[in-house]
Amino acid sequence: MQFDLVKANMAFSTEMNQLTSELGYEVSIDDTKRWLEALLSSASYTVFVAVSGPKVCAWVVVEKRLCLESGFSAEITGLVVGARFRRKGIAQALVNAAQHWAQEQNLERLVVRSNALRKESHIFYPSIGFSHSKTSQVYVKSLACVE
């Protein structure tokens, strides 16, 4: 299958939103546009898409992060390949693009977190050179105003 990797732009937002729903996140197109615009305007992030013909078939978001306890690193904060485009080398190409960007930023580590339920990713990431570092729990507290 032929595909190209390109930097994302706002013209891709609708198809990126559709792919986001394949991850199980129901996000409005307006939110996707607002968040994509913020990502694209920040020097701390980059977004790549895989395009096959006129169709966006995958995307990845990479963040330059700074933690007081571990310093700078790059983190893949989102990666999705459309169901009908999987197992064609697209995810690995996107991870390679993320890695290349991280190296251009002089970062020494590329980190990715994956939901325990995403069994395929727990096979995929070690197969392309990632090592399992730790298992953690995620806690969320809503900050919406409560009256």
Side-chain angles (χ1 to χ4, degrees):
M1 173 185 174
Q2 290 285 94
F3 62 90
D4 294 307
L5 298 185
V6 297
K7 290 267 190 143
N9 63 57
M10 294 305 293
F12 297 127
S13 60
T14 299
E15 290 181 280
M16 292 176 75
N17 176 269
Q18 292 166 351
L19 289 170
T20 300
S21 69
E22 288 193 36
L23 275 179
Y25 297 97
E26 293 306 319
V27 177
S28 74
I29 186 63
D30 289 336
D31 282 342
T32 295
K33 287 179 178 179
R34 186 172 62 252
W35 299 337
L36 180 59
E37 185 173 41
L39 290 169
L40 296 177
S41 66
S42 172
S44 294
Y45 294 88
T46 195
V47 184
F48 294 102
V49 295
V51 180
S52 181
K55 183 80 176 153
V56 174
C57 48
W59 58 256
V60 66
V61 177
V62 190
E63 175 185 7
K64 180 178 180 179
R65 301 198 69 193
L66 174 59
C67 296
L68 188 58
E69 74 281 3
S70 58
F72 285 99
S73 64
E75 183 166 338
I76 294 173
T77 60
L79 171 65
V80 60
V81 178
R84 61 191 189 131
F85 299 104
R86 293 181 185 152
R87 298 194 182 11
K88 300 183 186 311
I90 296 170
Q92 184 167 356
L94 286 169
V95 171
N96 289 345
Q99 179 177 320
H100 182 73
W101 178 83
Q103 290 169 322
E104 288 176 344
Q105 306 298 308
N106 295 314
L107 302 174
E108 297 180 4
R109 285 187 326 273
L110 180 59
V111 176
V112 63
R113 299 171 202 277
S114 180
N115 189 314
L117 301 176
R118 299 194 194 283
K119 303 294 184 197
E120 297 87 2
S121 70
H122 304 298
I123 297 167
F124 169 70
Y125 288 113
S127 78
I128 61 169
F130 285 79
S131 58
H132 182 259
S133 173
K134 66 180 175 180
T135 302
S136 61
Q137 300 292 323
V138 177
Y139 301 93
V140 176
K141 182 176 184 179
S142 175
L143 300 178
C145 294
V146 180
E147 295 188 36

